[in-house]
Amino acid sequence: MSTRIAYTLYSLARMIREDRYFAAGFITILVVIILSAAASIISPYDPYKIDLINKLRGPSPEHPMGTDQLGRDLFTRILYGGRYTLFLSASAVLLALVIGLLVGTLSGYYKGWLDLIVQRFVDILMSFPSIILAIALATMLGYGLETLVIAVAIAESPFLIRVVRAAVISIRDLPYIEAVRLMGYGDLYVILRHVIPNIMYVVIPQVTLQMGSAILIIAALGFLGIGIKPPTPEWGSMLNEARAYLMDYPHLLIFPGLMIFLSIVSFNIVGESLKMRLDPKARSLIGSRSRLVWGLYRGGRRGLDERNTSY
Amino acid sequence: MGVLTVYIVKRVLLVLPTLIGVITMIFFLVRILPGDPTHLLAGEQASPEIIERLKAEFGLDRPIYEQYILYLKSVLTLDFGTSYRTYTPVIVEIMSRFPNTVILALSAMLIAIFAGIALGIVSALRVGSVIDRAVIIFTSIYVSMPVFWLGLLLIYFFAVQLKILPAGGIGSPAHVILPSLALSHTPLSYIARITRESILETLSQEHVRLAIARGLPLRSILINHVIRNSLINVITVIGYFTGVLLGGAVVTETVFAWPGIGRLLIESIAARDYIMIQGIVIFIAMIFIFVNLIVDITYRIIDPRVRL
């Protein structure tokens, strides 16, 4: 196990050294996560404390990003906001991953009627633009952090189910899997020990890309007033609050948006680079010429998904 | 029957189960929720007679399978019930807003198609150059812009600072410019990339090499053999995004106070008008399914190799 971790770290270091795009994205994500986690150490301010005397100040040495309409330090709120936006997105993607692995593997491994039912169900979920699905679920399940995570996870899951299923189908009848089955091992063992580890090269990049999409949906829901509500600092809802002060205080608009944008771009770049590196099909099809292109192209019409669309 | 007819019939028949599935999902979603669905539909403070009327309207006193059949029947005939906020039928409200959504979606697609294809062609024909790199970097970044941030930035620069375009609302052709610019950013990026990739792919094909070897003028090779063949891929993407944009540009419409169905959805959520929400969500799914159907059939006509 420890050699495996060492190898992963080694590969990571090599990718950072060899791939400028990956390095930039990866380091940005790392910095944002560390800053959010260490929010209470970095900033002396309370993200909720109202200070009306100092409201709507521009950036200054005491307040590097200025203060908002209630005099709260914007930089502090952005740091704390990262906790909400990133943590909720990560939880949603994790849940979507569990759903995707479970449903996708069963559907692809056993095929037959189960597969047929699952695929029709995925069709139904994909009949909604994913933001609409998330909005509908979040509204109907009621407000709350858990329901928000569940809604976004369900909206994200059809893509993962499809990807996992396709990968499982592509390897389920290969000789080495067949051999393990013939040795008398049960399906559960085959799936856990041989199928799932061998589809990770597709799943890991997809999950990273899905992170970008989840951040976008969480922030969009916050912006629309359906997700996290003020005074909780969340990047999307902070932007919503900033709308009223757009005319005279653009700093309220620039910083939260920039954070959402940077996080999404970084996860997308890291996802695309991972895909180039891990997926032999992606590499041979496009070649090194246009490394970032593959994710947008995906060799065909049905590969087109909506992971980056907010509308 | 021709092969094409068989394909179309099969594809249309596939739509029905999906559509019924969507309606079923919404039906049960509303009913598995804790509490009486009538309270959910009419709101917490609904008076007893409203509850009674609702119960009669939805047949909630009847067994669940009867309710389901009733619901399916009325929704399939586009009867989504009556809003308890405005006292008008949901479909009437939707139809009064839908033209605005169509206008916005079509103008956004126009921008995306022209700018996207132009960028894609320029970048593919100068592959590896500074322009090509610039297009790649621009589209990667542009596609990741959250539309609400892009929209607010556009408002700030063009409406607040330069004061040359209206910040929101509806009324003149100028009102369409900013929202459609914001809405076009994703399809534009995808169209540019796919145009570029498929031109590069076509350029490496035998028939193009042959044309070059025969010494045909480069201009006519590009126009007749390369670009025309490459655009087949682009058409699917265009169709797909038209469907998505028609399915409610919720965020864009909210940013620019554009009175389409996306904004109607958000207003209804704010007012807890669940009948309206249900209706709009199903309507959006219907539009989405329908446009995908059209796209698939069109693609099959253009490229007969496609199988179901």
Side-chain angles (χ1 to χ4, degrees):
Chain A
M1 198 63 194
S2 66
T3 50
R4 190 175 264 186
I5 294 172
Y7 181 71
T8 311
L9 287 178
Y10 167 72
S11 314
L12 202 64
R14 232 183 72 178
M15 268 194 88
I16 291 175
R17 218 173 40 236
E18 288 171 5
D19 187 338
R20 280 179 301 165
Y21 296 97
F22 178 82
F26 187 77
I27 290 169
T28 310
I29 294 172
L30 219 57
V31 168
V32 174
I33 291 176
I34 291 172
L35 285 179
S36 307
S40 50
I41 305 169
I42 297 169
S43 164
Y45 299 102
D46 176 344
Y48 294 99
K49 185 142 185 284
I50 294 170
D51 177 10
L52 288 175
I53 297 166
N54 285 315
K55 70 174 184 182
L56 294 167
R57 295 275 165 89
S60 65
E62 300 95 79
H63 300 287
M65 291 183 183
T67 61
D68 72 358
Q69 69 281 2
L70 297 174
R72 298 169 296 194
D73 180 52
L74 192 61
F75 181 60
T76 310
R77 283 181 65 75
I78 282 187
L79 294 180
Y80 282 92
R83 291 184 177 181
Y84 283 94
T85 311
L86 296 178
F87 180 72
L88 290 175
S89 315
S91 318
V93 170
L94 214 64
L95 185 58
L97 175 66
V98 172
I99 300 174
L101 275 181
L102 196 73
V103 179
T105 312
L106 292 179
S107 171
Y109 191 81
Y110 290 108
K111 292 197 189 163
W113 57 270
L114 179 75
D115 186 36
L116 212 68
I117 292 174
V118 167
Q119 289 317 304
R120 290 292 79 79
F121 195 68
V122 170
D123 277 347
I124 292 171
L125 290 182
M126 283 182 136
S127 310
F128 302 92
S130 46
I131 180 113
I132 298 286
L133 188 57
I135 289 176
L137 290 170
T139 311
M140 291 187 179
L141 297 176
Y143 300 102
L145 292 187
E146 299 87 354
T147 49
L148 187 62
V149 168
I150 293 172
V152 176
I154 294 177
E156 294 284 336
S157 61
F159 307 108
L160 277 163
I161 295 177
R162 282 265 155 97
V163 166
V164 169
R165 172 179 173 271
V168 170
I169 286 179
S170 75
I171 65 164
R172 70 185 287 274
D173 293 324
L174 290 183
Y176 73 95
I177 304 273
E178 196 85 5
V180 184
R181 260 199 302 260
L182 286 175
M183 282 159 75
Y185 287 104
D187 285 347
L188 190 67
Y189 177 84
V190 177
I191 289 174
L192 289 180
R193 190 79 184 76
H194 293 278
V195 173
I196 288 185
N198 281 307
I199 59 167
M200 276 303 156
Y201 76 96
V202 193
V203 174
I204 292 171
Q206 185 62 32
V207 164
T208 318
L209 293 172
Q210 222 82 52
M211 249 322 265
S213 146
I215 292 173
L216 188 60
I217 294 186
I218 294 271
L221 291 181
F223 179 79
L224 293 171
I226 298 166
I228 297 168
K229 299 197 152 93
T232 310
E234 188 274 331
W235 296 339
S237 69
M238 285 165 71
L239 265 185
N240 189 26
E241 290 180 280
R243 284 169 79 189
Y245 306 92
L246 182 72
M247 301 273 262
D248 303 308
Y249 306 101
H251 68 276
L252 290 177
L253 161 73
I254 288 167
F255 294 115
L258 197 63
M259 292 310 290
I260 302 172
F261 169 64
L262 274 181
S263 316
I264 296 173
V265 171
S266 305
F267 274 107
N268 284 347
I269 290 177
V270 169
E272 299 303 349
S273 299
L274 282 173
K275 180 166 269 155
M276 295 296 302
R277 180 67 66 131
L278 297 177
D279 190 345
K281 265 184 298 187
R283 224 176 322 167
S284 63
L285 246 164
I286 303 294
S288 58
R289 182 185 60 216
S290 43
R291 49 178 52 262
L292 292 176
V293 176
W294 171 245
L296 293 174
Y297 185 56
R298 298 268 178 92
R301 44 203 305 276
R302 276 298 164 213
L304 190 71
D305 62 41
E306 325 165 48
R307 70 205 149 73
N308 277 317
T309 48
S310 55
Y311 314 109
Chain B
M1 270 201 301
V3 188
L4 184 65
T5 326
V6 173
Y7 175 84
I8 294 176
V9 170
K10 267 194 190 164
R11 185 65 186 76
V12 170
L13 286 180
L14 260 179
V15 162
L16 263 179
T18 315
L19 196 59
I20 291 174
V22 165
I23 300 167
T24 311
M25 192 181 95
I26 299 289
F27 176 84
F28 284 107
L29 202 59
V30 173
R31 275 154 191 84
I32 53 162
L33 297 173
D36 190 342
T38 41
H39 281 287
L40 187 68
L41 290 169
E44 292 297 327
Q45 303 93 10
S47 63
E49 61 258 36
I50 285 184
I51 298 283
E52 280 312 305
R53 204 153 52 126
L54 254 179
K55 277 207 166 130
E57 187 179 329
F58 286 90
L60 285 170
D61 34 4
R62 286 186 241 172
I64 189 104
Y65 66 88
E66 249 179 71
Q67 288 181 34
Y68 174 65
I69 301 286
L70 205 72
Y71 185 74
L72 207 60
K73 244 200 219 150
S74 53
V75 169
L76 283 175
T77 53
L78 291 182
D79 173 10
F80 298 115
T82 304
S83 158
Y84 282 85
R85 185 166 60 106
T86 60
Y87 296 100
T88 41
V90 170
I91 188 67
V92 173
E93 287 276 320
I94 291 178
M95 279 311 168
S96 74
R97 298 289 196 95
F98 192 53
N100 292 330
T101 297
V102 174
I103 292 172
L104 183 57
L106 292 186
S107 33
M109 281 315 291
L110 270 180
I111 298 175
I113 291 167
F114 280 108
I117 290 181
L119 281 180
I121 291 177
V122 167
S123 136
L125 297 185
R126 297 265 180 283
V127 64
S129 70
V130 182
I131 300 175
D132 182 33
R133 273 171 173 267
V135 170
I136 288 185
I137 290 173
F138 168 74
T139 45
S140 322
I141 289 177
Y142 200 46
V143 80
S144 303
M145 286 281 261
V147 74
F148 39 93
W149 193 47
L150 179 62
L152 291 177
L153 290 177
L154 287 174
I155 291 177
Y156 183 73
F157 285 115
F158 291 101
V160 177
Q161 289 294 319
L162 299 175
K163 296 192 174 60
I164 48 173
L165 287 169
I170 191 169
S172 69
H175 284 85
V176 193
I177 298 176
L178 287 185
S180 49
L181 255 180
L183 192 57
S184 71
H185 83 291
T186 319
L188 189 154
S189 310
Y190 274 85
I191 290 172
R193 282 302 181 76
I194 284 159
T195 308
R196 176 184 182 277
E197 287 308 307
S198 46
I199 287 181
L200 289 180
E201 208 177 277
T202 320
L203 273 175
S204 65
Q205 273 170 11
E206 297 284 315
H207 70 274
V208 177
R209 291 187 185 185
L210 179 69
I212 297 173
R214 281 172 61 198
L216 293 176
L218 205 61
R219 206 188 162 79
S220 87
I221 296 177
L222 283 180
I223 294 173
N224 292 324
H225 297 276
V226 180
I227 294 177
R228 204 179 273 183
N229 274 317
S230 308
L231 290 186
I232 292 180
N233 284 333
V234 181
I235 285 171
T236 343
V237 183
I238 292 172
Y240 170 82
F241 276 109
T242 311
V244 177
L245 298 196
L246 281 177
V250 185
V251 182
T252 312
E253 290 183 355
T254 307
V255 173
F256 291 97
W258 183 267
I261 48 170
R263 182 142 170 268
L264 184 63
L265 177 64
I266 300 303
E267 288 167 7
S268 310
I269 289 173
R272 299 184 165 266
D273 187 349
Y274 283 89
I275 297 183
M276 192 72 110
I277 299 171
Q278 254 189 73
I280 298 170
V281 169
I282 294 178
F283 182 79
I284 288 174
M286 283 175 165
I287 295 289
F288 201 50
I289 293 172
F290 180 70
V291 175
N292 274 331
L293 175 73
I294 303 286
V295 172
D296 278 359
I297 292 173
T298 318
Y299 195 75
R300 177 63 175 68
I301 294 172
I302 300 172
D303 187 349
R305 288 169 299 181
V306 174
R307 298 258 167 107
L308 199 61

